[in-house]
Amino acid sequence: MPSHDRSRIRTLALAALFGLLAAFLLPGTSAGASAALRQHAAARGKFIGAALATGPLANESAYRDIAAAEFNQITAENAMKWDATEPSQGRFTFTGADAVVDFAAANGQQVHGHTLVWHSQTPGWVQSLGATAMRAAMREHIAQVVGRYADDPAVVSWDVVNEVFDDSGNMRTSFWYNTLGESYIADAFRAARAADPDARLCINDYNVEGINAKSTAMYNLVRTLRQQGVPVDCVGFQGHLAIQYGFPGQVQQNMQRFADLGVQVRVTELDIRMVMPRDASKDATQATYYRDTVNACLAVTACAGITIWGFTDKHSWVPDTFSGQGAALIYDENYRPKPAYTAVHDALAGGTGSDTTPPTAPGTPVASGVTATTATLTWTPSTDAGGSGLAGYTVHREQGSTDPQLGQSAGPSVTLTGLSPATRYEVYVRARDGAGNQSPASATVAFTTATGGGGGPCAVAATVQTQWGNGYVVQPVTVTNTGASALNGWTVTFALPAGHTVTGSWNATLTTSGQTVTARNAAHNAALAPGATATFGFQAGRPDGNTATPSGYACG
Ligand code: XIL
C-alpha cells in the first residue's frame, strides 16, 4: 500500500481511539489496582511494551487480545530486520512490518523500529559487498526503511545499530566492522536522522544492563559519538536475563550514568529465562527480577519504558536458543499470567511491588509418615513484615549447587510424593511472599525412604536427538509403565561411554557412578498409570572425534 494511504487509515483509527486513550494518558488519571499494565505504565509516564511475531498476530485471537489490552508499545520481533525488509538488493518488502505497525496504530500503541544495522539476520548479498558498495547499501536501506514510516505517527524510534560490541566490550569484528571500520556506526545514525528527523535513534546491546566492562565500553562510545555530533538519542539495554546467573549489579546506577550523558534509556528486550522444568520457586525468583528491572526504570526519569521480548511462553525465542531453558515471559504457554506478570503489574502500580522484605525463615521441618515413596513434612510458619503477605512454601532437596524442588504448599505442611525407595533425603523449606521475595532456607531435616514399592515393570526407549563433534542430546528417553498397576516412581540406568560427561538433564535427576548413570523421576512425572509414559532428556559432552553414545538402557 502506498504510504499516503497507510497514513490516512491510521488517522481514522487514531481518531476513533482518542477518547479511550485520553482516559489514561491525561495527567491526574489514576489507574485502578486491577488495571492493565499499559494503564499503570502510562500513569507513571512510561511505556510497557512487547515484541510481537507476525505468525501468532495473524492467527491467534488470544495473542492479539492480550497484546492490545496490556501494552502501549510494540516492537517487531523479526519483521523489520534486514532479511525481512530487503531480502535481495533494492527489493523492499514490508508485509510483516506493516502488519505490526497497523496493529499498533489500531490499538493506540507506539512502535520502536528494530533493527537497521546488525550482523545477524542480514542477507548474504550485503555481507559479500566491497566497502564502497556496502556503505551505499547501508545508507539506501536506512533511507528506504526509516523513510517508509517517517510520517507515520505510530513509529517513533529506531534501533539504528544493534550489538556492535563483542562480549568483552571490544568492537565486534562483524562484516560491518571488518569492511567499513568503526565509522559505519556514525554513518548509520546520520543516515537515519536524514531519513526521519523526528525519530528517536537508539543504540542497542545485551549484557549492558548493569555496570561492567561491556556497558562501560558502550558508555564511552555513546559519549564520544555525541561529542562528535552524531545523533545518538537513546541507549537500549536488551535485558535477556537468566535467574541462574543472578541479577545484574547496579542496573539503576548504570541507567543513570547514561541518562547523565543526555540520552534517553530503555529496556528493549526483557526476558528472564530459567533452567527447565519451571517450578514455583523459580517463578518467584523470576518475578523479583522483573520487579527489580521495572523499579530501576521507574527510578530513572530518563528511562522511557520497558519492552518485554514477547509476552507468552508459547511464543518465545528462548527454548530455541538456550538449550534446556525457557519459561522466560510473563504469561505461560496457555496465556495465563505468571507471578512475573503480577510483579510487573504491582511495580508499575507502585503498590506491593515496592515490598522488598522477604518473609522470615520457616522453622525446621519435621518428617513423619515416611514410606518408600512419600513423606510428610510439617514446620513452624514464617512471618512476613513486608506488607504483601505470605504466598506459600517450597521444599527443596539439599544436593550441592542446584537443589531440586520436591514440593510446594500454601500452608506449613506438605506430603512429598514420587520419592525414590531406600534413599536418604536431606530437605529444607523456603517461604515466599506475594511480591516474590524468598525467605532464607530453614534448617534441614534428613529422612530415609523405606525399601520396596515404587519401582515396577517398565520399558525404556532412548533417541539421540542431535549430536556434534564433542557432544550430543538424548531426547526423548521414554519410560512406559508396562505393568497392570500404577507406578509411583521409576528409575532408568544406562552405560555412559568412557570419557563422556553428563552436562545437563531435564525432567529427571541424573547421578553418575563410574560408567553407570541412574536417572530418577522428577516429582511431576513420578506417577505413571498402566500404559502411560514419561519422558526426560539429557545432554553430554565427549572427547573430540569420539562418536559413541550411551547404551544398555534399563528401567526399574
Ligand atoms: C531474535 C528473535 O526473537 C528470534 O525469533 C530470531 O530467530 C532471532 O532473533 N537480540 C536482538 C533480537 O536484538 O533481534 C533477537 O531476536 C534476540 C537477541
Side-chain angles (χ1 to χ4, degrees):
M1 203 189 297
S3 67
H4 63 271
D5 286 352
R6 294 176 44 75
S7 296
R8 190 164 49 79
I9 292 169
R10 186 69 36 71
T11 309
L12 293 173
L14 277 178
L17 274 153
F18 183 75
L20 171 67
L21 289 174
F24 56 84
L25 287 176
L26 289 176
T29 311
S30 74
S34 63
L37 301 181
R38 62 185 288 174
Q39 290 167 271
H40 290 297
R44 306 292 292 270
K46 309 284 182 189
F47 67 74
I48 183 75
L52 296 188
T54 50
L57 192 61
N59 299 324
E60 288 186 50
S61 60
Y63 186 90
R64 283 192 296 273
D65 290 348
I66 293 176
E70 294 289 340
F71 303 102
N72 55 9
Q73 184 275 337
I74 298 297
T75 302
E77 186 175 358
N78 288 302
M80 290 189 177
K81 292 173 182 174
W82 196 314
D83 59 357
T85 51
E86 194 186 3
S88 59
Q89 187 156 20
R91 189 169 67 81
F92 288 88
T93 54
F94 291 107
T95 322
D98 284 354
V100 171
V101 174
D102 289 346
F103 179 83
N107 293 296
Q109 298 161 318
Q110 54 170 269
V111 174
H112 176 65
H114 173 80
T115 180
L116 298 169
V117 178
W118 190 24
H119 63 277
S120 190
Q121 292 178 275
T122 303
W125 69 261
V126 184
Q127 306 192 29
S128 57
L129 296 173
T132 306
M134 189 183 286
R135 202 177 289 275
M138 183 185 84
R139 289 181 179 151
E140 179 61 11
H141 181 79
I142 293 172
Q144 292 294 330
V145 176
V146 175
R148 179 174 181 85
Y149 302 104
D151 295 328
D152 191 317
V155 181
V156 295
S157 54
W158 284 94
D159 283 331
V160 177
V161 296
N162 192 29
E163 302 179 353
V164 303
F165 291 107
D166 69 15
D167 291 347
S168 4
N170 299 313
M171 277 287 142
R172 181 186 295 275
T173 50
S174 65
F175 66 87
W176 292 114
Y177 180 81
N178 292 342
T179 312
L180 300 177
E182 197 173 325
S183 67
Y184 82 90
I185 299 172
D187 237 43
F189 275 97
R190 292 192 168 112
R193 181 64 101 228
D196 183 355
D198 305 323
R200 189 176 287 278
L201 305 180
C202 305
I203 182 168
N204 191 50
D205 217 318
Y206 62 90
N207 287 352
V208 291
E209 295 75 22
I211 294 190
N212 57 42
K214 185 170 177 179
S215 67
T216 299
M218 172 73 103
Y219 176 83
N220 290 331
L221 175 64
V222 171
R223 191 181 53 192
T224 305
L225 288 171
R226 287 174 58 86
Q227 279 164 356
Q228 294 168 349
V230 178
V232 182
D233 308 316
C234 142
V235 175
F237 309 105
Q238 289 187 5
H240 295 294
L241 306 181
I243 60 170
Q244 69 272 22
Y245 300 143
F247 192 73
Q250 301 176 284
V251 171
Q252 183 185 325
Q253 292 87 334
N254 189 47
M255 286 182 175
Q256 190 59 54
R257 70 171 169 162
F258 280 95
D260 293 344
L261 291 176
V263 288
Q264 185 197 70
V265 296
R266 49 177 67 199
V267 179
T268 50
E269 305 182 15
L270 183 62
D271 54 19
I272 300 167
R273 61 189 188 268
M274 57 180 69
V275 174
M276 297 301 276
R278 184 185 158 207
D279 64 36
S281 138
K282 292 176 192 172
D283 275 6
T285 304
Q286 177 188 57
T288 65
Y289 282 39
Y290 270 102
R291 175 200 68 195
D292 292 348
T293 307
V294 172
N295 281 337
C297 181
L298 289 171
V300 175
T301 310
C303 182
I306 292 166
T307 310
I308 302 172
W309 203 240
F311 60 91
T312 164
D313 291 337
K314 185 172 184 185
H315 301 291
S316 163
W317 75 309
V318 169
D320 299 333
T321 312
F322 303 95
S323 172
Q325 300 175 53
L329 296 169
I330 63 174
Y331 288 82
D332 73 9
E333 63 282 1
N334 296 312
Y335 294 107
R336 286 183 301 233
K338 294 159 61 180
Y341 173 91
T342 309
V344 171
H345 177 276
D346 291 355
L348 290 173
T352 53
S354 56
D355 172 11
T356 56
T357 309
T360 59
T364 309
V366 176
S368 62
V370 180
T371 70
T373 56
T374 66
T376 298
L377 299 174
T378 310
W379 56 89
T380 306
S382 300
T383 55
D384 183 55
S388 60
L390 269 186
Y393 299 90
T394 51
V395 179
H396 306 264
R397 183 175 189 186
E398 177 63 62
Q399 204 176 268
S401 56
T402 49
D403 295 344
Q405 182 181 317
L406 298 182
Q408 58 176 302
S409 66
S413 173
V414 68
T415 298
L416 304 176
T417 58
L419 302 177
S420 302
T423 303
R424 182 175 190 274
Y425 285 86
E426 197 179 330
V427 301
Y428 60 86
V429 184
R430 278 183 195 277
R432 64 179 193 287
D433 66 19
N437 299 300
Q438 273 190 289
S439 77
S442 71
T444 60
V445 63
F447 60 87
T448 301
T449 50
T451 48
C458 58
V460 58
T463 307
V464 178
Q465 183 190 55
T466 173
Q467 45 183 318
W468 55 95
N470 59 358
Y472 50 87
V473 170
V474 179
Q475 165 166 271
V477 183
T478 305
V479 179
T480 308
N481 179 356
T482 51
S485 51
L487 282 181
N488 194 357
W490 43 263
T491 303
V492 167
T493 55
F494 57 87
L496 193 65
H500 292 210
T501 327
V502 174
T503 54
S505 63
W506 45 98
N507 298 330
T509 303
L510 269 58
T511 49
T512 306
S513 166
Q515 296 314 124
T516 304
V517 178
T518 304
R520 290 187 207 285
N521 60 271
H524 68 87
N525 61 11
L528 282 188
T533 60
T535 59
F536 69 95
F538 64 94
Q539 178 169 328
R542 62 187 173 192
D544 271 323
N546 184 311
T547 56
T549 52
S551 57
Y553 289 88
C555 182

